[in-house]
Amino acid sequence: MAGTIEVLVPGGQADPGPPLGPELGPTPVDVQAVVQEINDQTEAFDGTEVPVTVDYEDDGSFSIDVGVPPTAELIKDEAGFETGSGEPQEDFVADLSVDQVKQIAEQKHPDLLAYDTKNAAKEVVGTCASMGVTIEGNDAREFKQRVDDGEYDDVLAE
């Protein structure tokens, strides 16, 4: 009966209700212990949706693997807005600094295909473009070109 459950939970705020409770209910694990462990491991993400994988065994033992939130969630959390723009090329919903882009890139780097922070930042900027988020007042595509031109090499260095 051992198995795996994958859910998205708000960082540090998981509870025995949906989506976790109904998934864990039929298993041999102590639901409250799983919830507490998830909250302990995800409290740094404070309310941001975090992917969590719970592996459990027939004897009730379990292990938890906490993933990194989706890039869009990190951007929304960092910039402080709820939803992206319906017209991302014309209607901008937020503005990030280069340091904020770097911070998000460093958080996401393990999950991205990029080899370094500079390229991870370019992936984050691509998500910003599709959400209607500018970087230091510039359109995300313009900012990406400036990164390609080496303008931010000092800031985005490892």
Side-chain angles (χ1 to χ4, degrees), residues 2-151:
T4 301
I5 295 170
E6 295 179 0
V7 293
L8 275 175
V9 297
Q13 300 172 11
D15 62 46
L20 210 47
E23 293 285 333
L24 289 172
T27 69
V29 300
D30 176 353
V31 175
Q32 198 57 46
V34 172
V35 167
Q36 185 60 50
E37 182 71 23
I38 289 172
N39 285 337
D40 291 345
Q41 290 188 33
T42 62
E43 69 182 327
F45 293 112
D46 191 31
T48 302
E49 293 285 312
V50 181
V52 174
T53 302
V54 179
D55 292 310
Y56 61 89
E57 300 297 330
D58 292 333
D59 64 2
S61 62
F62 63 90
S63 64
I64 295 171
D65 181 41
V66 176
V68 179
T71 305
E73 288 295 323
L74 293 173
I75 292 168
K76 289 192 300 189
D77 188 50
E78 188 65 34
F81 65 94
E82 291 296 316
T83 59
S85 172
E87 296 181 26
Q89 312 315 318
E90 299 170 19
D91 183 25
F92 301 105
V93 295
D95 186 60
L96 292 176
S97 69
V98 175
D99 290 331
Q100 288 174 306
V101 170
K102 180 180 180 183
Q103 179 182 342
I104 294 167
E106 288 171 344
Q107 287 177 308
K108 279 299 288 186
H109 194 244
D111 288 353
L112 298 175
L113 299 173
Y115 295 111
D116 58 19
T117 303
K118 178 179 176 178
N119 286 301
K122 286 169 39 178
E123 288 191 42
V124 170
V125 168
T127 303
C128 287
S130 67
M131 296 177 71
V133 175
T134 56
I135 294 89
E136 298 204 336
N138 296 304
D139 182 274
R141 287 176 302 285
E142 291 173 23
F143 179 81
K144 181 186 171 299
Q145 185 59 51
R146 293 166 97 180
V147 170
D148 285 340
D149 293 343
E151 195 172 321

